[in-house]
Amino acid sequence: MEDENKLSIYRAARTIKRKENTLYNALRSIHDDSVFVGEISQLWPELPLLANLRCGLWYSPRFDSTCYFKSTDGHTNNWSFNTSRLNLHVAHLAGQKGGCIIVDSTRKGKRFPDSMSKTIPIWTCVFNRAIVNHRSRMQDHDERAEGVSSDNHESETSDQRAENTRQASHEWDSSLHLPLWVSKTERASIEERLEGWTKELEASGADIASLASCLKKPIRPLWISQKTVIWLNEVPDHGSWDFTPIILVSASSSTGVIQHRTTSEFSWNYIPGAGDDEESWARGLSPDLFWKNVYDIINSGPDTCNQKVANMVEKDRVYCAQRGQNAPQVTLKPPKSLNSTSDPSCVEPVLSLDNLDIKNDIQFCDDDSTVYWLGTTNIAVGTALAAAYTTCVDCVLNCGRENFSACHLNAESYLHLPIVDSKFDRFSLRNNLASAVNFARLNLRKGKTLLVFCQNGEDISVCVCLAILTALFDDIGTFDDGKSFSETHISKWDMRRRLVFLCKFAVKARPSRGNLKQVYSFLGGGRPSSHTPSTPSTM
């Protein structure tokens, strides 16, 4: 009996939580928090606004770019500087514009997610240290090139110039800047690892020289939340600081208690960090589709919000399908209930294409159609939409589930490999990499250009390009038909260096750990044949 009571209490608590975390509550909370984000961005309108993927993407209708700093890299006793997520484009953008603003949020009742409390501060410190080391090496190189002059006056001038350079290096702040709530013990533990992380960055092949020339001041994080007090008549100009600001905006209120809010029309429960874990609540709605129809959704109220969003998602899906894009149907799990009989008022009607009138009564999504060319390799990576509208390539490698109609290509210039994510099949990518590499070899030999794409252009297609670059190109990115690969045992560092090179151009690349492991397994275990596809060894 006691176990049954505990189970009933647990089920009741889960039911209450589901009722609090409804779709309308989440979207209304996001909309309210976006007002704060907009106010902060207007304080420094010259600075670009960046969303930290994926949660941050919900909190503004307009972002200049995105970045990918993971909270797990800043978790206590799990601190990390990951060369697979260098975010070099963020540092370059900050250098060009004099700083930037990054938006993220957290559900955990904290003011800032760990991505902002520790991951980004570690990132800024490691980059600053690498820049100082680079400048020191350049100074030593200049001194050796000049040599010792017999002219005392010239010698004094040279010594003075070297001293000025050395002083400039000392003035470049490379210390670790953490928020006050990070303990001294944790700070000390992080500082012990900084030298090793700096060496990893320098060994990764990242272009520190261009970064050093782009940044005029060291990068440094600043933290702003809804509890931050800002005097509007005393907002400093970002150019007046002696550093390049990386302004970290935590969008949500840090209260851990559900707040009940009311307007003249509706009432709802405020959810801190509502944009997090979108798979569990968004019902197929994307940030782009939400913001293009925000007023219709918010004004629909909590009672009809689910149906309103379901109609929009399905209409957008059909619209995308009519344009030849991959548009899988969204399936939702039926809501659970304490009782076997559900409340009829909570049952959502089943959508039918026959009842949907696809008109311009909603604003449809405009997916990313950007093609990223990887330097001078003749290889490009992009999304399925980019492939649909790109005719400037000679051959196409489709890594998505759906086949693709490329009327301007013949059979020899198009290959479809239906690769699925490692979450669904741990060997899908690996088992297709030999065919992908050999297809790329046959076409790159002829000097043709190659587009590799998957649905989002961020993960699977990036991993396929990484395998092609490693198997068919040398260290400096020159096509050698696999010569250097056949003569070298590929290490994880070799692969990371290639990934850094790739991410320099494909700034939205976000390869998953599971897929990267498959690439490394293939490169370490199988050697692509010059004539026929090889069969990689088993893991």
Side-chain angles (χ1 to χ4, degrees):
M1 184 66 180
E2 185 178 350
D3 292 339
E4 290 181 2
N5 289 336
K6 287 182 179 179
L7 182 60
S8 298
I9 293 172
Y10 171 77
R11 292 176 63 189
R14 294 283 296 174
T15 302
I16 292 171
K17 184 177 180 179
R18 279 197 299 270
K19 289 182 178 180
E20 291 173 344
N21 294 338
T22 64
L23 179 61
Y24 186 81
N25 286 344
L27 295 177
R28 188 66 193 243
S29 301
I30 289 170
H31 182 259
D32 279 17
D33 290 338
S34 71
V35 176
F36 168 70
V37 172
E39 291 173 348
I40 297 302
S41 66
Q42 286 304 308
L43 296 179
W44 296 280
E46 302 89 359
L47 298 184
L49 188 67
L50 280 69
N52 192 31
L53 298 173
R54 290 178 302 166
C55 179
L57 203 57
W58 286 93
Y59 288 94
S60 176
R62 179 199 61 82
F63 282 106
D64 298 296
S65 186
T66 60
C67 55
Y68 189 40
F69 295 98
K70 291 193 70 173
S71 286
T72 51
D73 291 338
H75 287 176
T76 303
N77 296 324
N78 191 46
W79 313 286
S80 175
F81 179 83
N82 199 313
T83 53
S84 299
R85 296 182 288 273
L86 283 181
N87 291 286
L88 275 169
H89 68 288
V90 178
H92 280 284
L93 190 60
Q96 294 166 5
K97 302 295 184 180
C100 66
I101 302 172
I102 299 178
V103 178
D104 202 353
S105 186
T106 181
R107 281 178 178 265
K108 298 182 179 179
K110 299 184 293 187
R111 290 180 66 182
F112 292 86
D114 284 344
S115 61
M116 290 184 164
S117 295
K118 283 164 281 188
T119 304
I120 295 179
I122 289 172
W123 174 82
T124 59
C125 180
V126 171
F127 270 50
N128 284 329
R129 292 169 67 99
I131 290 173
V132 168
N133 292 345
H134 171 76
R135 292 187 169 189
S136 177
R137 287 192 295 269
M138 291 299 99
Q139 171 192 316
D140 293 342
H141 178 270
D142 291 342
E143 289 177 351
R144 287 194 299 269
E146 282 187 8
V148 179
S149 172
S150 58
D151 191 326
N152 291 334
H153 176 71
E154 289 183 2
S155 177
E156 290 176 0
T157 304
S158 176
D159 290 342
Q160 183 63 45
R161 185 161 56 252
E163 178 61 28
N164 291 339
T165 305
R166 191 176 295 107
Q167 183 66 26
S169 296
H170 288 311
E171 291 177 353
W172 191 274
D173 182 10
S174 60
S175 57
L176 178 65
H177 294 275
L178 293 170
L180 296 176
W181 55 86
V182 177
S183 68
K184 293 181 179 179
T185 302
E186 192 169 5
R187 169 187 285 273
S189 298
I190 293 174
E191 287 177 335
E192 290 175 357
R193 294 164 169 80
L194 289 174
E195 183 63 27
W197 289 333
T198 305
K199 290 180 179 178
E200 287 183 13
L201 172 61
E202 293 170 341
S204 70
D207 191 356
I208 304 299
S210 66
L211 194 60
S213 63
C214 179
L215 285 167
K216 307 305 179 186
K217 305 174 185 178
I219 49 178
R220 178 175 171 180
L222 297 175
W223 296 269
I224 295 179
S225 72
Q226 292 197 21
K227 288 187 176 181
T228 304
V229 177
I230 300 177
W231 299 101
L232 296 180
N233 60 338
E234 297 180 5
V235 176
D237 181 75
H238 67 274
S240 65
W241 288 317
D242 59 356
F243 55 87
T244 302
I246 308 295
I247 301 175
L248 309 178
V249 179
S250 183
S252 296
S253 172
S254 58
T255 177
V257 181
I258 296 291
Q259 299 178 11
H260 189 73
R261 299 186 179 182
T262 306
T263 65
S264 58
E265 295 180 276
F266 309 113
S267 62
W268 74 96
N269 292 324
Y270 173 78
I271 304 174
D276 194 20
D277 191 22
E278 62 188 53
E279 289 89 351
S280 65
W281 61 266
R283 294 169 169 260
L285 186 69
S286 66
D288 186 39
L289 188 59
F290 167 64
W291 282 110
K292 290 193 173 182
N293 301 276
V294 59
Y295 296 113
D296 285 344
I297 294 174
I298 296 301
N299 293 333
S300 66
D303 294 335
T304 60
C305 178
N306 285 9
Q307 185 60 45
K308 185 80 172 179
V309 168
N311 285 333
M312 287 183 176
V313 170
E314 182 62 13
K315 286 183 178 182
D316 187 67
R317 187 189 73 82
V318 174
Y319 173 74
C320 292
Q322 290 175 345
R323 298 172 68 194
Q325 302 172 31
N326 181 28
Q329 191 162 9
V330 177
T331 56
L332 302 175
K333 294 181 179 179
K336 297 179 180 179
S337 174
L338 278 174
N339 303 317
S340 58
T341 57
S342 302
D343 182 359
S345 63
C346 296
V347 177
E348 298 176 17
V350 178
L351 286 176
S352 170
L353 284 179
D354 297 333
N355 298 327
L356 283 177
D357 185 18
I358 309 301
K359 298 179 180 178
N360 290 328
D361 54 349
I362 70 168
Q363 294 296 314
F364 296 104
C365 280
D366 292 325
D367 293 332
D368 185 13
S369 59
T370 307
V371 169
Y372 298 98
W373 288 96
L374 307 182
T376 58
T377 62
N378 276 351
I379 302 174
V381 62
T383 64
L385 181 63
Y389 288 94
T390 300
T391 58
C392 59
V393 293
D394 300 320
C395 50
V396 171
L397 175 54
N398 177 6
C399 304
R401 293 188 183 185
E402 303 294 327
N403 207 344
F404 169 75
S405 176
C407 56
H408 67 289
L409 300 175
N410 55 41
E412 295 180 354
S413 301
Y414 174 77
L415 177 63
H416 178 216
L417 299 175
I419 304 172
V420 298
D421 188 75
S422 59
K423 293 180 180 179
F424 306 104
D425 185 343
R426 290 186 302 149
F427 305 100
S428 177
L429 174 62
R430 189 180 190 276
N431 291 338
N432 284 282
L433 282 178
S435 298
V437 170
N438 281 302
F439 176 77
R441 171 190 280 112
L442 293 173
N443 287 281
L444 293 174
R445 276 177 177 172
K446 303 172 183 177
K448 293 184 177 181
T449 54
L450 169 66
L451 171 63
V452 182
F453 78 89
C454 62
Q455 179 58 28
N456 59 18
E458 299 174 355
D459 187 0
I460 293 175
S461 57
V462 169
C463 289
V464 171
C465 285
L466 176 61
I468 294 172
L469 288 174
T470 307
L472 302 179
F473 290 77
D474 62 16
D475 287 340
I476 61 175
T478 302
F479 178 75
D480 66 358
D481 206 8
K483 180 181 178 181
S484 59
F485 177 64
S486 62
E487 298 172 351
T488 308
H489 177 73
I490 297 297
S491 67
K492 288 185 178 180
W493 267 112
D494 293 325
M495 199 176 81
R496 286 181 182 179
R497 288 174 64 88
R498 300 287 202 300
L499 182 58
V500 169
F501 169 81
L502 192 157
C503 292
K504 176 182 177 181
F505 303 100
V507 296
K508 290 188 176 182
R510 291 192 301 143
S512 65
R513 183 182 179 185
N515 287 334
L516 286 176
K517 287 176 69 175
Q518 292 183 70
V519 175
Y520 179 68
S521 175
F522 166 78
L523 294 173
R527 287 292 188 270
S529 168
S530 300
H531 305 288
T532 58
S534 64
T535 303
S537 61
T538 57
M539 289 174 111

